[in-house]
Amino acid sequence: MMHPKTYVEGFHNEDSVKSMTYNMLGATDMCVSALSLGTSPLACIYGNMNFDESFSLVENALKSGINMLDTAPWYGHGTSESVLGQILPKLPRKSYYINTKVGRYDPEPERMFDFSAERTLRSVDKSLQRMDLEYVDIIQVHDMEFAPSLDIIINETLPALQKVVDQGKARYIGITGYPLENYRKVLERSSVKIDTILSYTHYALHDTSLLTILPYLKEKCVGVINASPVVMGLLSNQAPPSWHPAYLMEDKTLLENCQLAAKYCQDHGVDIVKLAFHFAFIQPDITTTLAGMTSTAELNKNLDVLQNGITEHEKETLNYILST
């Protein structure tokens, strides 16, 4: 097997790279690892991380063969990008693809979202400045459903991102959001070529609805990034973080079912996080699974699941959860 273009002799662990699965991301030239690293935890939204821990996580992820990083101005309101700005200059630029986003910014509700062309262009420049980069690989519209209308995304945000690409500040354009139906709406109407979509929590133990749009996206040659197999902490052995949207739902069925599944796993000596990652990894139509991690130990656990799978006992537990 040939090394991916991101391989850097003397930096990577060659055996780890050889054991990593890589897939082409849509019609881009990016051959990406089956596991990608989300960097929102660098902003301490899942618990405190100091710089040494953050650096170790990113460096070890890249050396292991992971070659795509994802961030956004929204993560810690610039903190994730700023921490990356201290980390990335110490690592070979060739060794990673990096994606960031536009559109979602400040904690104050009245200033949280801005999809205007002017703010979009400013945001890209600010992100590049924070991360000490000349360009990002994919620039994405963040949670486009929060725009006053998808017309703004189509007529302002995406044309502004095309200017960003034309200026060499990004290589590809992506869109993100929760409602799956919006992807088709925007792809059908946009005059700007959209290269990737990032969907979160729609291919996990509790919800596989992402599969319903994969044939359409494949037909359009759009790359698919499947984010958050543990549903932003719902499928874990700890309570989800206090900001989790499940707490705001009037119907607590999802929260309760995830807690019941986690308890069933604990009672049977199984880590539900391993099951969640395995479930995503074995879906052949998913190019890459994007997940935030808070430590090198967590990284190594997820890599072990990717490379070695799960035990028969864990498979039995997984099948029980899926059947109930």
Side-chain angles (χ1 to χ4, degrees):
M1 172 186 170
M2 292 180 60
H3 294 314
K5 288 194 297 185
T6 48
Y7 179 75
V8 177
E9 189 172 356
F11 171 74
H12 280 101
N13 181 319
E14 187 172 8
D15 290 338
S16 296
V17 173
K18 285 180 178 178
S19 64
M20 176 62 72
T21 300
Y22 294 94
N23 303 298
M24 294 305 300
L25 184 61
T28 74
D29 67 351
M30 298 166 62
C31 189
V32 300
S33 48
L35 175 61
S36 297
L37 181 65
T39 65
S40 62
L42 303 188
C44 300
I45 66 172
Y46 291 99
N48 290 332
M49 290 183 70
N50 62 40
F51 178 77
D52 289 342
E53 291 169 331
S54 298
F55 182 84
S56 177
L57 172 64
V58 175
E59 181 184 41
N60 281 292
L62 297 183
K63 286 187 173 183
S64 74
I66 289 174
N67 67 356
M68 191 162 73
L69 310 174
D70 182 89
T71 188
W74 171 245
Y75 303 149
H77 318 302
T79 302
S80 173
E81 291 184 331
S82 295
V83 173
L84 285 170
Q86 300 173 63
I87 294 172
L88 297 180
K90 304 176 189 296
L91 303 170
R93 179 63 181 92
K94 180 185 174 183
S95 67
Y96 59 87
Y97 301 120
I98 186 160
N99 315 329
T100 193
K101 307 179 185 74
V102 298
R104 189 166 191 170
Y105 305 108
D106 297 327
E108 295 81 7
E110 66 276 9
R111 298 194 307 172
M112 187 177 293
F113 297 98
D114 187 344
F115 296 94
S116 67
E118 187 272 336
R119 181 64 188 275
T120 294
L121 295 172
R122 280 197 293 121
S123 177
V124 173
D125 287 341
K126 187 66 175 176
S127 290
L128 293 176
Q129 180 184 24
R130 287 193 191 107
M131 293 188 285
D132 196 15
L133 293 173
E134 294 182 359
Y135 70 93
V136 293
D137 292 279
I138 307 176
I139 187 68
Q140 304 163 103
V141 183
H142 201 171
D143 292 342
M144 59 186 177
E145 67 269 23
F146 289 102
S149 165
L150 290 179
D151 291 342
I152 294 174
I153 304 297
I154 292 161
N155 298 324
E156 284 203 51
T157 319
L158 289 170
L161 293 185
Q162 184 60 59
K163 289 183 181 179
V164 169
V165 171
D166 293 343
Q167 292 168 354
K169 297 175 182 179
R171 300 201 302 130
Y172 298 106
I173 294 171
I175 53 178
T176 83
Y178 187 75
L180 294 176
E181 62 270 16
N182 282 349
Y183 293 120
R184 187 187 294 264
K185 291 176 183 177
V186 173
L187 284 162
E188 289 295 325
R189 294 180 56 198
S190 176
S191 60
V192 172
K193 185 177 186 299
I194 296 168
D195 302 291
T196 64
I197 68 108
L198 187 159
S199 171
Y200 63 97
T201 73
H202 281 308
Y203 193 82
L205 297 178
H206 75 301
D207 178 357
T208 59
S209 55
L210 179 60
L211 296 179
T212 64
I213 66 165
L214 288 183
Y216 171 78
L217 296 170
K218 185 175 182 179
E219 177 188 329
K220 293 289 185 180
C221 299
V222 174
V224 178
I225 301 167
N226 172 49
S228 196
V230 295
V231 199
M232 300 182 292
L234 269 187
L235 295 171
S236 71
N237 300 316
Q238 291 84 36
S242 59
W243 48 261
H244 201 289
Y247 290 121
L248 302 177
M249 294 180 180
E250 185 175 341
D251 184 352
K252 303 298 183 186
T253 302
L254 173 61
L255 181 62
E256 292 167 356
N257 285 347
C258 289
Q259 290 172 336
L260 286 172
K263 185 177 186 309
Y264 179 86
C265 288
Q266 284 183 314
D267 290 346
H268 289 78
V270 172
D271 183 353
I272 194 169
V273 174
K274 288 184 67 175
L275 303 190
F277 273 91
H278 177 72
F279 185 71
F281 291 151
I282 61 174
Q283 172 48 248
D285 294 323
I286 287 178
T287 302
T288 186
T289 292
L290 173 67
M293 303 171 218
T294 59
S295 67
T296 301
E298 188 178 348
L299 165 70
N300 290 336
K301 184 175 75 171
N302 295 334
L303 287 170
D304 180 68
V305 175
L306 174 61
Q307 293 161 3
N308 300 312
I310 57 177
T311 68
E312 288 302 316
H313 174 61
E314 289 167 333
K315 289 178 184 177
E316 291 172 3
T317 306
L318 173 60
N319 289 335
Y320 177 83
I321 289 172
L322 294 174
S323 67
T324 56

